[in-house]
């Protein structure tokens, strides 16, 4: 074999290795918007500040039993919650999810477990919701080091480790907790659920389900009972999943 042919062979093998590595890196892209150390400090300040403590003191969830307690938030525990993006569902991006909010466990004035949601708005962090219970903390523990992915349209929760997606709570998807999917298979499932509802679709053009809004619509307005009303948002796209009977989480704005 001539030196030229050897050199060409080495180049081909090197190129194949680069393509394989690039493909693996793309498939294992992490989520967008991961909080920085500065974000963590800012979230701690806003969630433990007097305005948030005042909201917690005034928050009462239906059916909650009063207990001797002081309203509080624990900013030492911060759980980033990510949601799939429309670009990922459509196959236009390998970044599987973007930060939706950061959850901080808390207690209301009557001692009820709650969660404060902090959301990045411009350069600042703002408390956008006080929700019942501390599901995010529990799911984060179950995620065992993976990042926490929430599919709000069907209220399903997942742990993502690289290319592996593990179901924590499949809700109405029909997938049992502990089910493992590849990221590619999860994208295919999302595409099946939402591809016909993405921007530019007939669903979008017709304004089905009441129209489309920004990220803030992912936290639906509550009725007088404090129970949120569907639908939810997928990366800025309003989505209703036919036949999905989701039990909303109690919340207060």
């Amino acid at each position: 074999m001539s030196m030229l042919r050897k050199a060409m062979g080495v180049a081909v093998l090197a190129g194949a290795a680069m393509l394989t590595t690039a493909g693996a890196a793309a498939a294992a892209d992490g989520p967008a918007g991961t909080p920085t150390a500065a974000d963590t400090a800012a979230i701690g300040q806003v969630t433990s500040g007097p305005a948030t403590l005042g909201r917690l003191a005034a928050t009462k969830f239906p059916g909650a039993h009063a207990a001797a307690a002081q309203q509080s938030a624990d900013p030492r525990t911060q759980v980033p919650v990510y949601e799939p993006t429309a670009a990922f569902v459509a196959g236009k991006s390998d970044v599987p999810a973007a930060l939706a909010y950061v959850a901080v466990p808390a207690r209301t004035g009557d001692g009820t477990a709650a969660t404060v949601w902090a959301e990045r708005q411009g350069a600042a962090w703002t408390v956008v919701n006080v929700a019942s219970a501390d599901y995010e903390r529990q799911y984060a523990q179950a995620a065992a080091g993976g990042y926490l992915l929430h599919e709000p349209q069907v209220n399903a929760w997942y742990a993502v480790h690289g290319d592996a997606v593990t179901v924590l709570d499949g809700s109405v998807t029909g997938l049992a907790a502990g089910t493992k999917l590849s990221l590619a298979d999860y994208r295919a499932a999302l595409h099946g659920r939402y591809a016909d509802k993405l921007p530019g679709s007939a669903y979008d053009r017709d304004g089905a389900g009441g129209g489309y809004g920004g990220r803030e619509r992912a936290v639906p307005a509550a009725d007088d009972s404090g129970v949120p009303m569907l639908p939810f948002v997928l990366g800025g796209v309003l989505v209703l999943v036919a036949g999905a009977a989701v039990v909303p989480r109690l919340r207060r704005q």
Side-chain angles (χ1 to χ4, degrees):
M1 181 182 292
S2 68
M3 292 297 293
L4 178 59
R5 290 180 63 186
K6 286 183 179 179
M8 290 178 63
V10 170
V12 169
L13 289 173
M18 288 177 64
L19 287 173
T20 301
T21 302
D29 279 349
T34 299
T36 64
D39 290 328
T40 298
I43 293 165
Q45 289 183 342
V46 72
T47 56
S48 62
T52 300
L53 294 179
R55 289 178 65 167
L56 288 168
T59 295
K60 295 186 183 302
F61 295 113
H65 299 289
Q70 178 81 21
Q71 68 275 5
S72 63
D74 181 10
R76 296 170 300 177
T77 302
Q78 298 185 14
V79 180
V81 177
Y82 300 89
E83 294 177 2
T85 66
F88 179 70
V89 175
K92 297 179 180 178
S93 171
D94 287 322
V95 178
L99 184 70
Y101 62 94
V102 174
V104 173
R107 291 276 174 184
T108 64
D110 61 7
T112 303
T115 299
V116 174
W117 295 5
E119 187 176 283
R120 185 190 284 119
Q121 295 185 350
W125 285 87
T126 303
V127 171
V128 297
N129 187 31
V130 175
S132 62
D134 60 350
Y135 298 119
E136 289 88 347
R137 180 189 62 79
Q138 296 176 47
Y139 287 131
Q141 289 179 339
Y147 68 83
L148 192 61
L149 182 66
H150 182 218
E151 191 181 333
Q153 297 79 10
V154 291
N155 198 31
W157 294 84
Y158 309 86
V160 183
H161 298 79
D163 287 333
V165 180
T166 303
V167 179
L168 300 177
D169 183 348
S171 188
V172 298
T173 64
L175 295 175
T179 300
K180 294 185 181 299
L181 306 167
S182 69
L183 203 54
D185 286 342
Y186 179 60
R187 177 171 12 208
L190 289 174
H191 191 270
R193 285 196 278 274
Y194 309 122
D196 61 346
K197 302 172 180 67
L198 294 175
S201 66
Y203 187 98
D204 182 4
R205 292 192 300 272
D206 294 343
Y212 295 78
R215 169 65 190 84
E216 69 277 4
R217 294 287 298 281
V219 183
D223 62 16
D224 292 338
S225 69
V227 177
M229 305 300 290
L230 296 180
F232 296 94
V233 166
L234 173 67
V237 181
L238 193 64
V239 176
L240 282 172
V241 181
V246 178
V247 178
R249 182 177 180 183
L250 298 178
R251 61 185 288 278
R252 283 188 68 88
Q253 196 69 16

